[in-house]
Amino acid sequence: MAIDLTTSLTLPSSVSLPNRLAKSALSEGLGDRDQAPTPNLIRLYERWSQSGAGLLITGNVMVDRRALGEVGNVAVEDDRHLEALSKWAAAATAGNAQAWVQLNHPGRQAPRALNREAVAPSKVAVTGAPGVFGTPRELTSPEIEEVVARFAASARLVVDAGFTGVQIHAAHGYLLSQFLSPLTNKRTDAWGGTPQKRRRLLLEIVRATRAELGVHTPISVKLNSADFQRGGMTEDESVEVVLDLAAAGVDLLEISGGNYESTAFMGAADQVRESTRAREAYFLDYAERVGAAITAAHANLPLMVTGGFRSTAGMSEALHGGAVDVIGLGRPLIMEPDLPHRLLTGTADRALAVAPRPLRIKHLEGMGELLWYGVQLRRLGEGKNPDPKRHPLRNLPHYLKNAGMLGRSQQRGFAA
């Protein structure tokens, strides 16, 4: 059967995605000071629910209020914000798309301004961001088991609120990715020392979440293809992780790469070859490799690739090649919230070529771009349209003010 963007996809859980386009997770930063969803976050998903995408994945929702990755994170560890969560879920599912919550724990990537302490598999600090992150404390074995329970409990809560599934974030250098990497997991106990032990936490979380949600609620995992760092998790090792995830009954694997020390997931110029940009998908080569491994193992694990897709030609080529089952779109949906609908109906054949003006300050270029898109997200949440002409230098004070960071770093109760 010929597959195109409009073709539905039945997942291992028997849930069907109505088409092959997904809104991948974007860090909205629209939670309030108590880590609850705000009206602006709900308004943002009301708009995306009409985008035409068959799947919406939220920005990372933290499973522990004591461990925040960014200002404006939503955190879910009990039912204190059930009403707001239910409104968010209702908004996200209003257009009959699947709506999954991405669950996360930052581990050592927990800014000091927001957290009393950071925890990690081992006492290994983040490099390249002086003053932002502190040296983490090594988790004890009982605390690791608590992390497993937290992911499963948060999954139960968001599904009870009305979301249709969850995605477990094991990429981009956050806690689960830290456990997978030999650079950050120096343990020699049951949670580290060998590739099998390093992946134990992720697999335990998948199993616990599946036991909590049952077999008919989708569970996705976001995984790095590699760390893009010497001595980090390699592609060979990540393929082994993928096969274990397939055996554990994961419904959809999203492929990404990098971390705060090696930002391949941002599409940074020094991380993405020109030949890769020409193919549009940053991680397509790896998807082809892991797809072949899944087929050889007679397993069933659909793959989603996010990063670089801009044209229907590039998306269709990836689908027709057989390695990719779902096309993830992130930043294009910030600037064109209705893009999937127009791609599916043929009224558009590519995303607009929109990007912030370069700051021409080497060490601030990536941050300037992130803030630029962050402000565009806030405009959508306020019911406004994106402003593609906005200069990135205008964004920092605007972002800090709206994120509540100005004059707030001393409020230590924020992350209690």
Side-chain angles (χ1 to χ4, degrees):
M1 181 184 72
I3 297 174
D4 61 24
L5 296 177
T6 65
T7 305
S8 63
L9 173 66
T10 301
L11 303 174
S13 60
S14 299
V15 168
S16 181
L17 303 182
N19 57 59
R20 300 304 178 101
L21 292 178
K23 185 207 80 68
S24 62
L26 294 161
S27 185
E28 306 97 356
L30 292 175
D32 68 16
R33 293 193 179 199
D34 199 33
Q35 291 83 61
T38 60
N40 282 10
L41 181 59
I42 294 165
R43 189 179 298 113
L44 173 63
Y45 276 83
E46 286 174 346
R47 187 154 185 180
W48 274 334
S49 74
Q50 305 304 315
S51 68
L55 169 63
L56 305 177
I57 303 176
T58 74
N60 48 23
V61 169
M62 297 303 169
V63 300
D64 190 335
R65 296 164 58 82
R66 302 166 301 176
L68 302 177
E70 298 163 296
V71 169
N73 277 155
V74 171
V76 176
E77 59 180 18
D78 52 41
D79 63 359
R80 75 184 72 185
H81 301 309
L82 182 59
E83 181 179 357
L85 286 170
S86 296
K87 290 179 180 178
W88 186 15
T93 56
N96 297 317
Q98 285 285 308
W100 301 349
V101 171
Q102 185 187 77
L103 299 175
N104 195 11
H105 188 299
R108 68 177 188 156
Q109 290 180 176
R112 293 196 298 183
L114 300 179
N115 302 276
R116 286 192 171 91
E117 68 172 354
V119 295
S122 302
K123 192 176 178 180
V124 180
V126 178
T127 61
V132 177
F133 306 108
T135 300
R137 175 178 63 79
E138 181 173 299
L139 285 162
T140 65
S141 187
E143 287 175 326
I144 296 171
E145 293 169 358
E146 179 189 335
V147 169
V148 175
R150 281 181 174 276
F151 271 88
S154 296
R156 176 78 273 162
L157 287 162
V158 298
V159 169
D160 285 349
F163 286 97
T164 60
V166 296
Q167 181 180 78
I168 296 166
H169 198 336
H172 300 176
Y174 293 113
L175 182 65
L176 304 190
S177 181
Q178 292 161 31
F179 267 87
L180 290 170
S181 173
L183 283 177
T184 46
N185 186 347
K186 306 291 188 180
R187 305 176 74 99
T188 57
D189 61 1
W191 304 97
T194 67
Q196 293 77 14
K197 291 179 180 179
R198 287 197 298 271
R199 75 185 69 137
R200 178 186 171 192
L201 176 57
L202 173 58
L203 293 171
E204 291 283 354
I205 288 171
V206 169
R207 294 185 188 109
T209 304
R210 178 60 72 201
E212 189 66 49
L213 298 182
V215 297
H216 297 304
T217 300
I219 297 174
S220 170
V221 169
K222 188 167 190 170
L223 185 72
N224 276 2
S225 61
D227 289 339
F228 299 96
Q229 291 178 286
R230 187 181 301 276
M233 187 179 73
T234 64
E235 281 196 6
D236 289 341
E237 189 172 327
S238 67
V239 170
E240 295 175 4
V241 176
V242 169
L243 294 179
D244 281 348
L245 291 172
V250 168
D251 287 279
L252 184 68
L253 178 72
E254 182 180 2
I255 295 166
S256 191
N259 52 47
Y260 280 3
E261 296 171 331
S262 178
T263 53
F265 67 95
M266 297 180 187
D270 62 338
Q271 298 289 342
V272 182
R273 298 189 305 269
E274 187 59 38
S275 60
T276 301
R277 290 186 184 278
R279 297 183 73 189
E280 295 196 5
Y282 297 160
F283 305 105
L284 188 56
D285 290 342
Y286 174 77
E288 292 169 348
R289 178 182 177 185
V290 80
I294 291 170
T295 299
H298 303 289
N300 182 17
L301 178 55
L303 299 180
M304 171 176 164
V305 173
T306 301
F309 285 114
R310 294 296 182 269
S311 70
T312 52
M315 298 173 201
S316 298
E317 182 181 352
L319 291 172
H320 294 159
V324 178
D325 300 286
V326 178
I327 304 295
L329 297 173
R331 290 176 176 179
L333 266 68
I334 298 176
M335 305 312 297
E336 298 180 89
D338 64 343
L339 178 63
H341 173 75
R342 293 189 293 114
L343 294 175
L344 291 165
T345 58
T347 55
D349 62 4
R350 65 173 49 250
L352 290 176
V354 177
R357 298 182 214 173
L359 287 174
R360 305 191 188 284
I361 305 172
K362 181 178 180 182
H363 298 294
L364 295 180
E365 201 62 63
M367 181 58 69
E369 191 167 340
L370 287 175
L371 291 178
W372 190 81
Y373 280 106
V375 169
Q376 304 293 353
L377 276 174
R378 290 183 178 278
R379 290 180 62 85
L380 292 175
E382 293 165 357
K384 302 174 183 176
N385 288 322
D387 179 7
K389 296 182 179 180
R390 186 181 183 88
H391 195 285
L393 285 176
R394 295 176 55 198
N395 293 335
L396 184 57
H398 176 90
Y399 184 85
L400 294 179
K401 178 182 177 181
N402 284 278
M405 289 181 71
L406 294 178
R408 182 169 163 188
S409 62
Q410 299 305 313
Q411 298 181 18
R412 306 303 293 173
F414 173 71

